[in-house]
Amino acid sequence: MKNIQNKWIRGAIPALLLHCSISTVYCWSIFSQEIAAYIGFSKGATEWAFSFAIFFLGMSAAFLGNLVEKNIHKSSLIATITFAAGMAGTGFFIWYGGNHQHSALALAGIYVSYGFIMGIGLGTGYLSPVKTLMLWFKDKKGLATGLAVAGFGAAKAIASPIMQKLLYSDVATQTQREGGIYKMFFILAIAYFVMMFVGHLLLAKPADWVEPQNKAKEEGIIATLKREPIVSYVAIWLMFYINITCGLALISQEKMIIKCIGLAAFAGLFSTISAVFNAGGRLGFSAWADHMKDRNTVYKLIFILSIAFTGVVYFTKGIANGDGNTILIIFVLALIFFVNAGYGGGFSNIPTLLSDHYGMGSISAIHGITLSAWAFAGLTGNQMASYIVNHTGKFIEQHHGDLVVMVNPTGYQNVLIVTGALYIVALLLSVFLVKPVKK
């Protein structure tokens, strides 16, 4: 009974506290327009704060992976302090920007606070509980990491309505509270600091775990990676990068695609449902992989199904012709929901796939380096989709009662050409270059 309590109290619960806090970075779209309007800049200018946050998430994980490996208490404390400080700093510079419209200092301060400082908290906070969970749940590593990483996906669905309550006095009409945008950040900074600090205090590795002291460990990560042909690791990194890039490309256009097929009034509802699929994919695919001889099989399934759904929507022109066509609407929604699930599943399976290939000795450091793929995908995924939509096709007016929406059906369809081709590349990498390894 004591071991079961420790497994949850020292592993799963602190992981959820950490991941459910830092994952609210994905709520950016809820308040990005409000920030832009409040400080007097375009939405495009403020969007870079989110891109920087994802970039520094991956890079801090890559560079601080060794710290996480050596001392999870120090890394989780760094995550707690930097994430909360970054959120509070963002609130301060929004307040400053509101009082000094068009201030470059305010915009730069938001970049540094939300992007760089919070990014460090994101990277170290994401890594810190993962190895610990795999050690506590040795026979169900996929289920364990999936549980925590599912929290990373599900938190958006939980936090979104809370943020809207803090931001708006009337959510239905989106009437903003006086100073609600910066006050929201101050309140959340305090709440997340408490949650993460409790997680930091609880997080602990099993008492019987002894870090392996072997030659590869002493020589570092490069020696560990050389246990297999380096092309195998490069293929893992690339297919992880492609899955994130394609996921972000579609997810960034998800709201407009839903409006394009005539469901503008339900965009918020379907966004929440897609977040649930994201979380479900993180838990479901990783738990399923525990029962497979080779975890790489999960990635093959994700890529095959992603190619199939993308192909169906592209060749039926589901986005362009979906408005009023129930079958095509179902195809488009199925694509959105599955890409969200596959996007999440790619995240939750990467640490366990790496541990199967390279062992548990340096898993935090290797996982951290691999998360650099997330950093670069954060800079390329949504920007790639935005470029395609803005430079191909044509924006047209779409009327939904009194609501007029500008959409680019052809542009969204063209995004699928690129993501479909990238999914094919990822499948080829998974099939031919990632060496099969039995767990």
Side-chain angles (χ1 to χ4, degrees):
M1 181 66 179
K2 183 178 179 182
N3 187 51
I4 294 174
Q5 289 178 336
N6 285 342
K7 182 181 295 186
W8 292 97
I9 294 173
R10 294 298 194 180
I13 292 175
L16 285 170
L17 287 170
L18 289 166
H19 276 199
C20 283
S21 299
I22 63 176
S23 63
T24 51
V25 68
Y26 277 123
C27 293
W28 173 259
S29 62
I30 293 171
F31 45 75
S32 58
Q33 183 61 60
E34 284 72 14
I35 292 175
Y38 195 79
I39 67 175
F41 279 91
S42 68
K43 187 173 182 292
T46 58
E47 283 296 329
W48 281 101
F50 176 76
S51 294
F52 288 145
I54 300 302
F55 177 76
F56 284 110
L57 182 161
M59 298 313 292
S60 64
F63 284 100
L64 296 176
N66 275 322
L67 171 64
V68 177
E69 197 73 66
K70 294 173 183 176
N71 193 327
I72 57 169
H73 289 290
K74 184 179 289 185
S75 65
S76 59
L77 181 60
I78 290 172
T80 301
I81 294 170
T82 51
F83 185 79
M87 186 157 278
T90 303
F92 171 79
F93 283 107
I94 292 172
W95 168 82
Y96 181 85
N99 289 285
H100 302 82
Q101 287 280 302
H102 312 294
S103 168
L105 177 61
L107 185 62
I110 292 171
Y111 288 166
V112 172
S113 298
Y114 198 91
F116 176 65
I117 299 175
M118 269 181 61
I120 293 174
L122 288 165
T124 51
Y126 188 90
L127 273 184
S128 292
V130 173
K131 178 176 179 176
T132 304
L133 277 169
M134 288 194 286
L135 294 175
W136 279 113
F137 294 80
K138 294 178 182 178
D139 297 328
K140 297 289 182 182
K141 291 190 292 185
L143 174 64
T145 56
L147 181 65
V149 180
F152 202 93
K156 179 182 176 182
I158 298 169
S160 293
I162 296 172
M163 288 182 170
Q164 292 190 62
K165 284 288 186 182
L166 293 172
L167 186 58
Y168 303 119
S169 57
D170 188 333
V171 176
T173 61
Q174 295 198 335
T175 304
Q176 287 193 48
R177 299 180 188 277
E178 180 64 31
I181 184 63
Y182 65 81
K183 290 177 182 177
M184 178 189 74
F185 277 92
F186 292 145
I187 293 169
L188 292 176
I190 296 170
Y192 288 137
F193 178 84
V194 173
M195 287 174 61
M196 294 180 72
F197 191 71
V198 172
H200 153 71
L201 294 176
L202 292 176
L203 189 65
K205 295 177 182 178
D208 60 353
W209 169 253
V210 178
E211 292 290 344
Q213 298 298 321
N214 53 41
K215 187 175 180 181
K217 177 80 172 178
E218 293 169 4
E219 291 177 356
I221 299 171
I222 299 300
T224 304
L225 291 175
K226 285 182 178 178
R227 293 177 187 175
E228 292 189 12
I230 195 65
V231 69
S232 182
Y233 175 76
V234 172
I236 291 174
W237 191 98
L238 284 173
M239 69 184 198
F240 184 50
Y241 165 78
I242 290 172
N243 193 48
I244 301 170
T245 296
C246 292
L248 288 176
L250 189 68
I251 292 169
S252 67
Q253 303 301 318
E254 175 183 296
K255 193 173 182 180
M256 297 310 297
I257 291 173
I258 288 172
K259 290 179 179 180
C260 196
I261 59 175
L263 300 176
F266 304 99
L269 171 63
F270 285 114
S271 180
T272 300
I273 294 174
S274 68
V276 172
F277 271 86
N278 191 314
R282 292 168 191 258
L283 180 59
F285 278 118
S286 55
W288 189 13
D290 282 333
H291 302 285
M292 296 177 177
K293 292 182 179 180
D294 179 15
R295 290 183 197 275
N296 186 37
T297 304
V298 163
Y299 286 97
K300 295 174 186 175
L301 290 171
I302 289 173
F303 297 140
I304 289 171
L305 291 171
S306 296
I307 293 166
F309 282 114
T310 301
V312 167
V313 173
Y314 177 74
F315 288 111
T316 61
K317 295 186 177 179
I319 299 173
N321 301 328
D323 192 1
N325 188 317
T326 303
I327 298 298
L328 294 183
I329 288 174
I330 291 173
F331 287 160
V332 173
L333 291 178
L335 170 65
I336 290 172
F337 294 155
F338 183 80
V339 167
N340 271 275
Y343 177 82
F347 274 107
S348 60
N349 276 286
I350 203 67
T352 47
L353 177 66
L354 291 169
S355 71
D356 288 347
H357 280 259
Y358 302 105
M360 289 295 294
S362 299
I363 188 60
S364 293
I366 295 172
H367 186 202
I369 290 175
T370 309
L371 289 181
S372 63
W374 194 357
F376 291 106
L379 292 178
T380 57
N382 53 343
Q383 281 83 359
M384 174 190 75
S386 295
Y387 183 86
I388 294 171
V389 171
N390 290 329
H391 290 82
T392 66
K394 182 181 180 182
F395 281 91
I396 60 174
E397 285 188 359
Q398 202 174 52
H399 296 266
H400 302 275
D402 296 331
L403 184 64
V404 179
V405 181
M406 297 298 294
V407 295
N408 183 356
T410 303
Y412 307 136
Q413 287 283 147
N414 290 341
V415 171
L416 299 185
I417 298 174
V418 180
T419 57
L422 287 173
Y423 277 131
I424 291 171
V425 172
L427 177 62
L428 294 174
L429 290 170
S430 180
V431 171
F432 294 108
L433 296 181
V434 179
K435 180 182 176 183
V437 174
K438 291 185 178 181
K439 296 193 294 293

